[in-house]
Amino acid sequence: MNILNELTQSVENAFAAADLAGEAIILKASSNPDFGDYQINGIMGAAKKLKKNPRELAAQVANILADCPLLGKAEVAGPGFINLTLSTDFIEKNIQAALLDNRLNVELPENNQTVVIDYSSPNLAKEMHVGHLRSTIIGDALSRVLQFLGANVVAQNHVGDWGTQFGMLVAYLVEQQKIGNENIALADLEQFYRNAKVRFDEDAQFADTARQYVVKLQSGDDKVLKLWKYFVKISLQHAQNIYTRLNTLLTPENVRGESFYNKDLQPTVDELLQKGIARIDNGTKLVDLPEFPERDGKTPVFIVQKQDGGFLYASTDMACVRFRVNELHANRIAYVVDARQSLHFAALFSVCRKAGWLPENVLAEHIAFGTMLGKDGKPFKTRSGDTVKLADLLDEAVSRAADLVRQKNADLSNEEVTKIANAVGIGAVKYADLSKIRTSDYVFDWENMLSFDGNTAPYLQYAYTRVASLLRKAEGSVSGSLNIREPAEHRLGLCLLQFEEVLSSVAKSSCPHYLAAYLYQVATLFSHFYEHCPILSAEDSVKSSRLQLAQLTGKTLKQGLNLLGIEVLEVM
Ligand code: ARG
């Protein structure tokens, strides 16, 4: 149940009854509990427009709302605001309903949507590094939330598995007579790739050979294709390892790399030319983008095929849009990619709209994110200035978490420590990212993210185990009637019922930090409630009522963290 939607309905009805049909109601959750649970801010605007007294108008609407079964109070405040407080009866009933439902009373508002989410999408033949972290975990959280709200989510891992880098690698391996050795590890490949790049830049003949291999690859030469498949295979095995460790939903079935679109590239470009959208300039095929601001005094262009006939990242992405619309039947396509590619996506969407490949009823979005910075404010690197490998980063997270877990509880077995350290270490890295506004850069800071205080994964995981332990102690007494008596109960109860409202806002904005902030609020309100409202020592009826609030807190924290891809533990 989405309270905001339900209330909106009631307020709209009240507006209609007060001859305000069609006026903006502007309904929001209150930021301060002294002003009730929700606030109507639209009366002043409507009064001005209709030349009426705002306070009188507010009183009229508040009067009508007094009969609304959702509400306990509707009070006029200030120059014409209306503060709404939910009725305790409504909160009590809905908490009990949520406890009886394994979806916690969350409906399926996205169930008519097919959403393609393009995420992770690393370039292959290299180990995954920190640059791939944000896309992978933000994309995964969005997938989970949309899926939970009923959307048909199609995850697409658009890996870079095609093009010049593979030609270079093949040329280098042939030159070094390394062909036939089927035991090349990914770390070796990476070194070969670096060497190949040096050869490519210093030796024109080597560069030519590399380009010929690209042509051979693209035209399906058996030998080259076999090598390429091998490179792709070991790169993807490595990526899948990382995905599993990161507790993401990605599987090999989600991989649909650039190579998949190879056969569609020429027809895509040809169609653009036929439609008069692309033109040929000195052999280069391009689309003019007069709708974008000039760069260096010139109209920007979108190059779709090079002079030598080669295709680019952009060509593949156009073919890919067509596939996602026509074959995957997307209503919405979300690209979870670094903010530095924003021009590429703006141009891509614009060209695809012009070509009719992206119909107006299909939403295309670049879900951009900022850069991970080190404490020095520069892009996050190792001490020696190299890019940080993701596998090393995850090792460090788990080992730092293990130290903390041992410090907190020296009696745990090694096996227990490993289990907890995995959940806490990986959870901390993910949560530190997901709790930040995604479009900003953020500083990657081990101490902060692993702290058991503040808005961190360990704090929330710990809050969950505290609830779990409370419920274990109370064994058996969670039933009977639920009565909201104290303000701390009202606030926690209200917050728990706002789960769907928050998930919907995450789905719309593609901003997981709303969910993180919400879970932190749940944990904080629970701790306030726990301090002010004795539970286990209370008399039976009070105890069982409060335990129900605790139980829904636990379930909400668990489900919410799960939607961020973060594990909880019963004991820590
Ligand atoms: N492989 C690209 C990169 O590493 C990201 C691909 C994103 N997806 C897309 N359809 N362009 O920059």
Side-chain angles (χ1 to χ4, degrees):
M1 183 219 31
N2 184 325
I3 303 188
L4 190 62
N5 286 354
E6 306 252 328
L7 263 185
T8 302
Q9 196 56 57
S10 304
V11 177
E12 266 167 12
N13 293 343
F15 265 48
D19 288 331
L20 296 173
E23 299 299 330
I25 63 177
I26 317 184
L27 179 66
K28 287 199 179 105
S30 295
S31 45
N32 180 341
D34 296 340
F35 302 146
D37 300 334
Y38 287 83
Q39 238 174 36
I40 303 174
N41 297 343
I43 298 280
M44 280 89 73
K48 198 167 171 197
K49 200 168 128 193
L50 302 168
K51 303 206 167 53
K52 287 193 175 168
N53 177 319
R55 273 194 71 95
E56 275 168 26
L57 200 56
Q60 196 192 346
V61 174
N63 235 336
I64 301 170
L65 282 170
D67 291 334
C68 168
L70 270 66
L71 295 174
K73 265 192 297 191
E75 291 173 320
V76 179
F81 300 107
I82 305 177
N83 295 340
L84 306 176
T85 305
L86 296 178
S87 79
T88 44
D89 186 54
F90 175 82
I91 296 182
E92 290 160 0
K93 279 203 182 104
N94 280 290
I95 288 182
Q96 291 198 308
L99 278 173
L100 290 176
D101 175 13
N102 58 13
R103 295 185 44 81
L104 310 179
N105 244 356
V106 174
E107 283 159 36
L108 302 165
E110 299 284 332
N111 67 357
N112 53 358
Q113 293 288 306
T114 292
V115 189
V116 169
I117 307 187
D118 179 324
Y119 72 101
S120 196
S121 308
N123 291 332
L124 300 187
K126 278 186 253 178
E127 269 192 68
M128 285 182 75
H129 56 79
V130 283
H132 301 118
L133 185 67
R134 299 208 71 187
S135 173
T136 308
I137 64 189
I138 294 170
D140 206 63
L142 297 176
S143 292
R144 288 169 187 261
V145 170
L146 281 157
Q147 217 157 60
F148 187 65
L149 295 180
N152 169 29
V153 172
V154 186
Q156 294 284 281
N157 193 356
H158 188 87
V159 298
D161 63 355
W162 209 233
T164 325
Q165 79 256 38
F166 290 95
M168 271 161 45
L169 259 177
V170 175
Y172 183 77
L173 293 182
V174 171
E175 190 181 76
Q176 304 290 314
Q177 303 183 333
K178 301 227 186 266
I179 304 292
N181 176 357
E182 291 294 300
N183 285 319
I184 307 171
L186 188 60
D188 301 328
L189 262 194
E190 201 161 347
Q191 188 54 48
F192 295 156
Y193 178 76
R194 260 182 244 134
N195 300 348
K197 178 92 175 74
V198 173
R199 296 281 297 116
F200 188 87
D201 292 338
E202 74 184 6
D203 183 342
Q205 204 170 350
F206 180 89
D208 261 352
T209 315
R211 283 192 203 98
Q212 280 159 24
Y213 278 119
V214 179
V215 176
K216 279 191 182 166
L217 173 64
Q218 304 198 337
S219 56
D221 178 283
D222 273 353
K223 269 204 194 110
V224 182
L225 215 52
K226 193 168 160 234
L227 266 174
W228 171 77
K229 278 194 181 133
Y230 178 71
F231 300 153
V232 170
K233 189 178 102 190
I234 52 175
S235 305
L236 286 178
Q237 273 167 357
H238 158 81
Q240 191 57 47
N241 261 333
I242 300 272
Y243 297 148
T244 307
R245 288 192 69 189
L246 268 176
N247 185 28
T248 59
L249 302 173
L250 285 169
T251 69
E253 278 83 78
N254 302 124
V255 174
R256 190 170 272 121
E258 294 181 9
S259 62
F260 175 82
Y261 304 98
N262 185 40
K263 61 178 187 330
D264 305 328
L265 300 179
Q266 194 63 63
T268 302
V269 170
D270 290 348
E271 195 178 319
L272 275 184
L273 285 166
Q274 271 159 28
K275 289 185 165 162
I277 294 167
R279 65 181 174 89
I280 305 178
D281 179 24
N282 207 359
T284 304
K285 294 169 188 157
L286 51 83
V287 181
D288 293 302
L289 300 168
E291 66 276 35
F292 288 90
E294 289 191 349
R295 270 204 285 176
D296 307 324
K298 285 196 212 125
T299 305
V301 295
F302 195 60
I303 299 180
V304 295
Q305 189 167 16
K306 291 189 280 191
Q307 210 174 21
D308 64 5
F311 295 101
L312 311 95
Y313 185 57
S315 337
T316 305
D317 259 334
M318 291 191 306
C320 175
V321 165
R322 302 202 318 174
F323 180 80
R324 290 171 180 180
V325 172
N326 298 334
E327 308 299 324
L328 301 179
H329 308 291
N331 306 110
R332 178 174 174 186
I333 313 175
Y335 294 83
V336 188
V337 184
D338 194 306
R340 282 169 291 195
Q341 293 194 27
S342 62
L343 270 180
H344 165 73
F345 286 108
L348 172 72
F349 299 160
S350 176
V351 171
C352 289
R353 296 255 183 238
K354 275 188 235 172
W357 298 329
L358 195 54
E360 227 160 285
N361 59 2
V362 178
L363 184 64
E365 301 166 295
H366 175 203
I367 309 301
F369 52 81
T371 308
M372 258 169 77
L373 305 175
K375 275 189 172 172
D376 56 1
K378 301 204 183 101
F380 190 63
K381 292 265 164 71
T382 62
R383 263 174 212 214
S384 56
D386 292 328
T387 44
V388 179
K389 292 180 176 166
L390 216 37
D392 295 344
L393 185 94
L394 300 184
D395 287 344
E396 182 163 356
V398 174
S399 106
R400 282 179 182 258
D403 290 346
L404 284 176
V405 171
R406 275 196 203 95
Q407 268 170 36
K408 269 198 142 338
N409 188 347
D411 303 332
L412 293 170
S413 70
N414 277 342
E415 205 180 312
E416 285 165 319
V417 171
T418 311
K419 187 167 171 235
I420 301 172
N422 250 308
V424 171
I426 304 289
V429 168
K430 292 177 85 170
Y431 191 85
D433 195 305
L434 294 170
S435 58
K436 309 285 189 318
I437 296 177
R438 73 170 150 72
T439 46
S440 321
D441 297 345
Y442 77 93
V443 175
F444 188 89
D445 180 341
W446 287 116
E447 281 80 35
N448 273 342
M449 73 179 76
L450 282 164
S451 162
F452 279 83
D453 295 310
N455 190 10
T456 64
Y459 173 76
L460 293 176
Q461 288 168 318
Y462 193 60
Y464 174 79
T465 39
R466 269 184 30 185
V467 178
S469 116
L470 171 72
L471 293 167
R472 275 196 304 274
K473 282 189 202 137
E475 209 187 330
S477 36
V478 190
S479 61
S481 62
L482 173 69
N483 296 300
I484 300 283
R485 298 176 184 84
E486 302 292 327
E489 295 175 314
H490 182 100
R491 284 166 62 188
L492 175 62
L494 165 71
C495 185
L496 292 171
L497 296 184
Q498 288 169 329
F499 194 33
E500 179 174 334
E501 190 175 310
V502 169
L503 293 180
S504 275
S505 74
V506 174
K508 289 216 165 54
S509 62
S510 302
C511 288
H513 76 274
Y514 291 134
L515 176 54
Y518 169 77
L519 296 173
Y520 182 55
Q521 197 192 2
V522 168
T524 315
L525 289 176
F526 178 77
S527 132
H528 181 79
F529 155 77
Y530 192 70
E531 264 167 46
H532 290 81
C533 305
I535 303 181
L536 295 178
S537 61
E539 55 133 315
D540 277 355
S541 69
V542 176
K543 176 174 159 186
S544 68
S545 170
R546 290 184 176 162
L547 281 171
Q548 292 174 56
L549 276 170
Q551 199 174 37
L552 189 58
T553 301
K555 287 183 181 215
T556 307
L557 286 175
K558 182 174 183 169
Q559 181 64 67
L561 284 170
N562 175 285
L563 293 175
L564 294 178
I566 295 172
E567 272 181 273
V568 294
L569 301 157
E570 300 303 312
V571 197
M572 247 168 100

